[in-house]
Amino acid sequence: MKTLIDHLGQYAEYHRDRRNIATHFVGIPMIVLAVAVLLSRPGFEAFGLWLSPAALVSLLSARFYFRLDGAYGLVMAMVLLLCLWVGAGLAVQSTALWLGAGLALFVVGWIIQFVGHHYEGRKPAFVDDLSGLIVGPLFVVAELGFLMGLRREVERAVEERAGPTCIREKKAAV
């Protein structure tokens, strides 16, 4: 299994433009929430919990994150629980509200992602490696932590592999 640095470093290679990273702070949470909402049906309540495909996907994702790093795993598990809570709340609403909210979050989130990759001048990481779909949310959490001065050793290791962040200059038309 790849290490935390392997995953974050590979993902970061596709995300060095600060504007792209900024769009990911908005787009990726929207997409993660959308997936939780859309997978919250069908579901049923048992022992005070809403059990659905979203709960299974979140459990498997949290296991992946915990295997990479305990601290990041804990943060990601809390984020996923919050998304499950919102998803369960929407799942019991009308089909139009549940589906409309889920699809709107999903589509708008991806539009924001692609705007960011326009600035980056590079395709999204998941195009070359599907693991980018599960690493993306972790990357956002890690980048947020880096901005807060946390996990400097991880930040240094990622930058050693992918290089520093920057604002890419627009290439002149020939």
Side-chain angles (χ1 to χ4, degrees), residues 19-36:
R19 296 167 296 184
N20 187 23
I21 295 170
T23 65
H24 282 54
F25 282 128
V26 177
I28 286 181
M30 290 177 76
I31 294 166
V32 171
L33 181 56
V35 170

Side-chain angles (χ1 to χ4, degrees), residues 28-42 50 52-55 57-58 79-91 98 102 105-106:
I28 286 181
M30 290 177 76
I31 294 166
V32 171
L33 181 56
V35 170
V37 168
L38 294 170
L39 292 180
S40 287
R41 279 193 185 183
W50 184 258
S52 66
V57 169
S58 293
V79 167
L80 292 170
L81 280 172
L82 178 62
C83 290
L84 286 174
W85 178 71
V86 172
L90 286 169
W98 160 74
L105 285 164
F106 193 79

